[in-house]
Amino acid sequence: MLKISRFTVESLSSGCVTDNEKPRFSYFVESDKQEVVIKNATLSMSNGWQKNTVEQIGVTYDGEGLDAFHQYTVKLEVSNNYNETAVAELTFETGRMLSEWKSKWITDGAYHFKEAKVSPKTMTFRKNINCSKEIRCAKIYVTAFGIYELMLNGEKVGEDYFAPGFTSYRNQLQYQTYDVTGQLQEKNCLVVVVGGGWAVGSFTYKRRNRVYAKRQALLAELRIEYCDGTKEIVGTDETWSVTEEGNFRETEFYNGEVYDATVDLDQIQWRKAEQEQIKISPKIMAQYGVPVRAKEQFEPICCTHTKGGMLLYDFGQNFAGVISAEIRGKKGQKITFRHAEILMDGKLYTEPLRTAKQEAVYICEEGMQQYSPRMTYMGFRYVEVTGIEEQDLRITAIALYSDMEENGKFSCSNKLLNQLQSNICWGAKSNFVDIPTDCPQRDERMGWTGDIALFSSTATYNFNMGRFLEKWLLDVKAEQTRGGGIPVTVPLVRVPLQWEIMIPMAVDHWGDACILVPWAEYRARGDKNLLKKMYPTMKRYMKACKFWAQLFSFGKHRRIWRLLHHYGDWCAPEVSMWGWMGRGKWTATACLAYSSGIVAQIAEILGEEKDAKEYAALSKETGDAYRSILMKEDCSVKKEFQTAYVLPLYYEMLSTSDKKQTAKHLSRMIRENNYHIGTGFPGTPYVLFALADNGFAEDAFRMLLTDTCPSWLYEAKVGGTTIWERWDALREDGTCNTGEGDGTGGMVSFNHYASGAVGDFLYRRIAGIEPLEGGYKRFQIKPLMGGKISWAKGEVLTAYGKVSSSWKIENHIFCIDIEVPVGATCQLVMPSGEQQLLASGSYHFEEEERNRENEHESNI
Ligand code: BGC
């Protein structure tokens, strides 16, 4: 039987409200038959548009202009080579489609917020609305400068946190659409709380504030359709009231929240809201990113009473989120919840938070009550509570992150590796909070470009990153300077300078996010539209790179990066920050060779042949320059460090014979280092590939399985539940490496996903699953055995459906079960080297194991 198992518009199966004039459709099917081929698919939309296609990804609507505020139904009919057909239907809604808002930006005109470095007071807006007739449909469209929370008749509207989300507000701002048909009554009270958030609040380690607006502002429009056919619009204007005396006394991402439950909104002073003059004019668009939502809930694994009479809860997992508390309290009782990632001497250790307080303070009303922060989040595993007895409190914790589908699974016979896989996923979840952040706890949580550039491939194995990355990449595109540079963090959180060209240009993997991230996403999901959109940005960035790399240099030296600011081998162990940055010449040059090679491939995919040649030549020249200037005749690098070998190997910058030699040097270095990791951000994702793909698989496994510091499994072995920023964040002697005096300003986080990029190796080599063509249209399964691993399973829900590889070794027989989705082909390479080309279906293969005697542990 043929079944359409997924049918999406703009990557959503349901609930899509879009302003995209050309929405994209994708689908995949399942079948109980082998070798299914889709013969035709027809999309028909309720406005008469029809399209026949065999494409399954990103089929773009190309009919007449869509109407605003309209619901469309789309039918999909698919037929296959067995003459079977399947039908599916979806509905989506258009948003405002740029139609003018019938409402005004409002604020509290009497509130003049001038203080530096702090967050503004929280504004609460209110409006009473009467609806005397029967309602057919009511929707509210809302956005703000700041972050908002909407309440109708005392109940929260929607499930989103931190709406409207973080974008490059100067360029684009999202609005959300909520259906409130069921919530509206005859007499209604609409309350909107607006905190400073990213736009106005204190943000970045420099504690900048008022970056996008001088104070908060709100824009909302409630559109009601009555059963008698009449319509009404209630928009924000001067008839709304505003106060700073509401329940939320303080709200900020870093410091947390102070909530006073004793405040009665009917007893406080309200002022008339005033129209706000907004100085920037972003394009206001229906939500196109992934909203932050409440996800996993954790019960504490223990509660201890500290010497100072405080309660200390351990949630067993480090993550980003908030507590949720059931409280028996007395009116005016003040309860404080402090959060931290680790303990030292049995106490919360908050040193790594720097200026972030990560505190929630709750002032009780009388009796039983519920509290969970709504306008902030913390990075934590431990919570210390003061002001309440244990028996009066029931506490849980909620993970908050962008609501992306988990689309990958990896497990194997080694328990610590499974813990590493879990740590990688939690590192990701904790840092996908509306934008890809570096960390969720200290006074940073910013969109550092390098972190996601290096992690994006692993991210796409574990999550469906489509909407999340596309949203962020739109900001990357928008933040590109006139000179072609990409800032080090996106969205940019600084007041724009007159001379845009002066914004420090991120190079050396950081700026390359504009190439590496869309490329990783394309490989995973296969939508060429994203490549098309980002291609001009990539080209301009390449042009800028070329210009800066060759400035004041001659001959081959023109391809060796010297100028500009490099993060280099960021976070490599046993080197200070200056040491990491001093490696920039190597890392940046290698990166230029790699990125230009990728742009050449992208140009080819997009049919830009001339460009393809040009970028391929740039890549080759840069690779040659690295070889001849930065390496010696015998392929050793002039300044030896692991990353300096890893990059030219993985980035394919060397001839076959040079590769062999280079890999030997890398293997030597790694053996000398007793299989410990020596790489920073740029080398870490690739070091195991550089070894395993060049004849040193055994070294790769030994390195992966090393569990003394510095190594991936050391973190897992000593109880880490996420990925750390520094390999020795917690040293073997139990002390914390806060980076004292190494130039980083006390930089240590226990939740930084970057080094978790090793996750790629688990999927691509151990499970052996690797796309060969965008979206896994063609992919490879080629498991790599080693490290006494006796079984492994990898599963990825690709754009064509489920790809899986599950292998085990039993009694010297290697067995593998494989799933190939319809529309894709798999190139299977068995450990013996035997190859097969497989069309869709499920398969089982076996072969005798070779040259591996008694090496495998039984399942641990
Ligand atoms: C961040 C990193 C980031 C780096 C830039 C740090 O403070 O936490 O993850 O990439 O700065 O080098």
Side-chain angles (χ1 to χ4, degrees):
M1 212 181 72
L2 184 70
K3 190 179 135 207
I4 298 172
S5 24
R6 179 159 306 181
F7 178 27
T8 62
V9 53
E10 294 296 289
S11 307
L12 296 175
S13 308
S14 63
C16 175
V17 179
T18 183
D19 280 347
N20 187 352
E21 289 157 12
K22 296 187 187 310
R24 291 158 298 166
F25 301 96
S26 302
Y27 69 92
F28 61 74
V29 300
E30 266 173 71
S31 167
D32 50 359
K33 301 202 169 50
Q34 301 284 107
E35 307 194 358
V36 171
V37 178
I38 292 177
K39 284 291 171 199
N40 187 45
T42 308
L43 284 158
S44 349
M45 199 147 112
S46 44
N47 67 349
W49 174 74
Q50 242 199 18
K51 188 161 188 151
N52 289 324
T53 175
V54 281
E55 287 297 321
Q56 291 181 242
I57 301 172
V59 181
T60 306
Y61 172 77
D62 54 5
E64 279 172 17
L66 299 176
D67 295 329
F69 308 113
H70 199 85
Q71 200 178 66
Y72 292 90
T73 305
V74 189
K75 205 172 125 187
L76 168 68
E77 203 175 323
V78 183
S79 57
N80 67 6
N81 52 335
Y82 292 91
N83 277 334
E84 294 171 319
T85 53
V87 182
E89 208 175 80
L90 64 71
T91 54
F92 74 97
E93 221 180 284
T94 45
R96 312 182 58 85
M97 305 297 276
L98 306 182
S99 57
E100 215 183 297
W101 287 75
K102 302 254 181 317
S103 46
K104 301 172 183 170
W105 278 106
I106 55 168
T107 189
D108 181 354
Y111 178 51
H112 300 287
F113 168 47
K114 294 259 192 283
E115 301 91 318
K117 295 186 186 282
V118 296
S119 286
K121 290 184 180 170
T122 311
M123 287 186 191
T124 304
F125 295 87
R126 187 159 85 160
K127 170 83 181 164
N128 293 323
I129 302 160
N130 292 338
C131 305
S132 47
K133 294 186 280 185
E134 209 185 321
I135 295 166
R136 186 164 63 209
C137 172
K139 294 207 169 130
I140 183 157
Y141 302 84
V142 196
T143 189
F145 280 105
I147 52 167
Y148 73 81
E149 154 124 328
L150 191 65
M151 258 127 12
L152 182 55
N153 302 326
E155 249 178 60
K156 179 172 166 60
V157 176
E159 300 162 69
D160 304 345
Y161 281 75
F162 319 138
F166 191 10
T167 49
S168 166
Y169 297 122
R170 256 180 291 280
N171 299 286
Q172 44 243 355
L173 173 68
Q174 300 183 116
Y175 69 83
Q176 284 70 35
T177 307
Y178 301 104
D179 190 330
V180 289
T181 317
Q183 260 173 287
L184 276 181
Q185 300 161 7
E186 215 179 300
K187 287 193 180 318
N188 301 283
C189 177
L190 190 60
V191 172
V192 191
V193 177
V194 187
W198 295 286
V200 190
S202 169
F203 197 63
T204 82
Y205 53 90
K206 294 208 166 142
R207 294 288 201 159
R208 293 200 170 95
N209 64 7
R210 291 166 290 146
V211 169
Y212 289 99
K214 59 183 180 188
R215 59 192 163 199
Q216 298 97 300
L218 173 70
L219 183 68
E221 201 175 288
L222 172 64
R223 300 175 78 97
I224 310 171
E225 264 180 57
Y226 293 103
C227 292
D228 65 4
T230 55
K231 291 182 181 173
E232 190 184 347
I233 296 178
V234 182
T236 39
D237 59 17
E238 293 85 350
T239 64
W240 288 53
S241 314
V242 64
T243 182
E244 282 85 51
E245 306 304 317
N247 304 91
F248 289 89
R249 312 302 305 165
E250 284 172 31
T251 55
E252 183 185 290
F253 283 124
Y254 299 150
N255 283 353
E257 183 174 294
V258 178
Y259 186 93
D260 187 347
T262 64
V263 171
D264 178 350
L265 293 188
D266 290 328
Q267 302 297 321
I268 55 171
Q269 284 278 315
W270 291 86
R271 275 193 286 269
K272 240 170 94 162
E274 287 177 32
Q275 183 169 359
E276 179 69 318
Q277 296 307 324
I278 303 291
K279 295 238 167 66
I280 50 181
S281 43
K283 188 168 170 191
I284 307 180
M285 292 187 275
Q287 167 108 21
Y288 52 93
V290 185
V292 176
R293 296 262 163 92
K295 304 291 288 182
E296 291 86 344
Q297 185 149 7
F298 298 101
E299 294 287 334
I301 55 171
C302 70
C303 171
T304 45
H305 293 248
T306 66
K307 277 195 196 121
M310 292 172 271
L311 303 172
L312 185 61
Y313 291 90
D314 176 1
F315 288 97
Q317 173 66 53
N318 194 13
F319 64 98
V322 287
I323 55 106
S324 174
E326 248 176 63
I327 295 164
R328 190 194 349 247
K330 291 254 163 292
K331 188 167 181 196
Q333 181 181 344
K334 180 173 152 190
I335 308 170
T336 305
F337 303 88
R338 295 177 62 230
H339 306 68
E341 295 184 292
I342 61 161
L343 301 180
M344 280 281 162
D345 306 321
K347 288 200 287 267
L348 280 200
Y349 187 63
T350 54
E351 202 61 26
L353 304 178
R354 303 195 302 217
T355 67
K357 272 177 26 192
Q358 287 219 126
E359 227 175 68
V361 176
Y362 179 74
I363 299 161
C364 301
E365 51 186 346
E366 192 66 32
M368 287 305 295
Q369 51 215 289
Q370 184 78 35
Y371 170 63
S372 183
R374 309 274 329 174
M375 308 289 280
T376 186
Y377 72 96
M378 336 272 179
F380 69 104
R381 168 174 169 167
Y382 301 95
V383 175
E384 181 198 88
V385 188
T386 46
I388 190 164
E389 298 294 326
E390 191 181 352
Q391 68 272 16
D392 293 328
L393 176 68
R394 204 186 98 68
I395 188 168
T396 56
I398 307 168
L400 297 181
Y401 54 90
S402 292
D403 194 9
M404 290 170 304
E405 182 184 14
E406 290 189 46
N407 68 187
K409 282 186 198 148
F410 173 86
S411 56
C412 69
S413 60
N414 185 307
K415 269 191 188 157
L416 268 187
L417 275 188
N418 294 340
Q419 182 63 46
L420 172 65
Q421 165 65 11
S422 164
N423 294 2
I424 292 169
C425 288
W426 274 106
K429 289 174 178 180
S430 316
N431 282 295
F432 292 151
V433 181
D434 210 72
I435 59 156
T437 63
D438 54 338
C439 58
Q441 71 301 82
R442 66 171 180 239
D443 50 3
E444 217 156 339
R445 315 181 189 190
M446 296 154 69
W448 282 99
T449 47
D451 304 44
I452 187 65
L454 292 156
F455 185 68
S456 49
S457 177
T458 296
T460 58
Y461 271 101
N462 290 305
F463 301 94
N464 182 339
M465 301 292 296
R467 281 176 72 99
F468 182 85
L469 288 181
E470 282 193 23
K471 163 180 169 282
W472 185 73
L473 286 168
L474 200 60
D475 291 339
V476 170
K477 196 175 168 62
E479 302 280 25
Q480 183 167 39
T481 64
R482 264 177 273 160
I486 303 288
V488 291
T489 62
V490 173
L492 189 65
V493 190
R494 59 185 287 170
V495 183
L497 300 170
Q498 210 59 29
W499 296 93
E500 247 191 291
I501 205 158
M502 296 300 287
I503 291 174
M505 174 176 164
V507 296
D508 187 359
H509 295 93
W510 270 253
D512 297 76
C514 71
I515 297 162
L516 303 183
V517 176
W519 182 237
E521 173 57 19
Y522 169 72
R523 277 171 59 86
R525 317 239 26 115
D527 191 346
K528 283 185 198 154
N529 292 298
L530 177 63
L531 294 184
K532 253 186 236 157
K533 220 191 285 176
M534 292 305 293
Y535 189 62
T537 310
M538 297 176 190
K539 280 184 70 167
R540 285 173 59 209
Y541 176 69
M542 278 287 106
K543 195 171 162 199
C545 285
K546 237 174 110 175
F547 172 82
W548 287 106
Q550 69 193 23
L551 199 65
F552 308 127
S553 302
F554 301 95
K556 279 201 166 180
H557 285 267
R558 291 181 325 139
R559 299 287 173 251
I560 303 287
W561 268 109
R562 283 179 308 117
L563 297 172
L564 295 191
H565 174 83
H566 302 250
Y567 290 114
D569 205 13
W570 194 253
C571 286
E574 285 150 32
V575 195
S576 72
M577 186 181 80
W578 297 283
W580 305 334
M581 297 176 89
R583 295 174 177 180
K585 202 200 285 188
W586 279 261
T587 52
T589 303
C591 190
L592 179 57
Y594 184 47
S595 286
S596 47
I598 291 175
V599 181
Q601 290 181 62
I602 294 172
E604 212 167 294
I605 292 168
L606 299 179
E608 302 283 349
E609 267 143 45
K610 196 170 144 270
D611 287 4
K613 281 199 190 110
E614 202 179 291
Y615 292 117
L618 174 62
S619 174
K620 170 100 182 45
E621 274 166 41
T622 314
D624 289 351
Y626 189 100
R627 171 67 185 93
S628 59
I629 295 166
L630 301 178
M631 293 172 92
K632 294 187 202 155
E633 199 44 46
D634 69 350
C635 288
S636 60
V637 279
K638 291 187 181 160
K639 173 171 171 166
E640 222 180 34
F641 55 100
Q642 289 183 13
T643 301
Y645 287 116
V646 170
L647 298 184
L649 281 169
Y650 184 79
Y651 292 169
E652 300 288 350
M653 291 156 60
L654 305 168
S655 67
T656 316
S657 58
D658 283 353
K659 255 182 156 182
K660 265 194 192 152
Q661 282 303 109
T662 310
K664 272 190 201 159
H665 285 295
L666 175 62
S667 155
R668 170 187 45 80
M669 269 200 92
I670 282 166
R671 286 174 200 203
E672 279 167 11
N673 205 28
N674 217 359
Y675 296 94
H676 287 114
I677 191 104
T679 51
F681 277 23
T684 301
Y686 313 127
V687 58
L688 299 181
F689 292 94
L691 289 167
D693 296 354
N694 293 292
F696 294 94
E698 207 170 297
D699 286 346
F701 277 103
R702 281 191 73 168
M703 186 175 215
L704 175 64
L705 297 177
T706 293
D707 63 6
T708 43
C709 189
S711 67
W712 290 283
L713 293 194
Y714 165 71
E715 298 179 10
K717 190 185 74 179
V718 298
T721 56
T722 37
I723 299 292
W724 302 345
E725 181 174 29
R726 292 174 185 270
W727 295 105
D728 58 350
L730 200 62
R731 298 191 187 96
E732 282 181 317
D733 65 6
T735 59
C736 178
N737 178 5
T738 51
E740 198 72 8
D742 75 352
T744 62
M747 183 191 88
V748 62
S749 141
F750 289 85
N751 209 347
H752 240 72
Y753 55 55
S755 313
V758 66
D760 246 28
F761 190 81
L762 308 182
Y763 281 100
R764 283 168 61 195
R765 290 297 175 268
I766 300 182
I769 303 172
E770 178 154 31
L772 299 174
E773 226 178 89
Y776 292 76
K777 187 157 187 56
R778 224 163 40 83
F779 66 96
Q780 175 176 274
I781 292 188
K782 185 183 176 189
L784 182 70
M785 253 122 293
K788 297 186 181 173
I789 294 169
S790 58
W791 63 263
K793 280 184 197 171
E795 201 178 290
V796 187
L797 192 63
T798 72
Y800 291 95
K802 188 160 96 182
V803 164
S804 76
S805 152
S806 169
W807 61 260
K808 63 178 178 197
I809 298 168
E810 236 170 36
N811 304 324
H812 302 286
I813 304 288
F814 170 85
C815 321
I816 188 162
D817 288 298
I818 283 171
E819 283 174 85
V820 182
V822 175
T825 18
C826 169
Q827 192 173 311
L828 169 68
V829 185
M830 295 288 274
S832 61
E834 203 171 295
Q835 299 206 10
Q836 311 226 27
L837 208 60
L838 308 171
S840 78
S842 306
Y843 301 88
H844 176 90
F845 297 99
E846 294 186 1
E847 70 178 21
E848 234 171 84
E849 191 202 7
R850 301 185 182 179
N851 307 327
R852 279 173 194 281
E853 294 207 327
N854 305 324
E855 207 192 287
H856 307 285
E857 282 170 303
S858 54
N859 291 4
I860 316 168

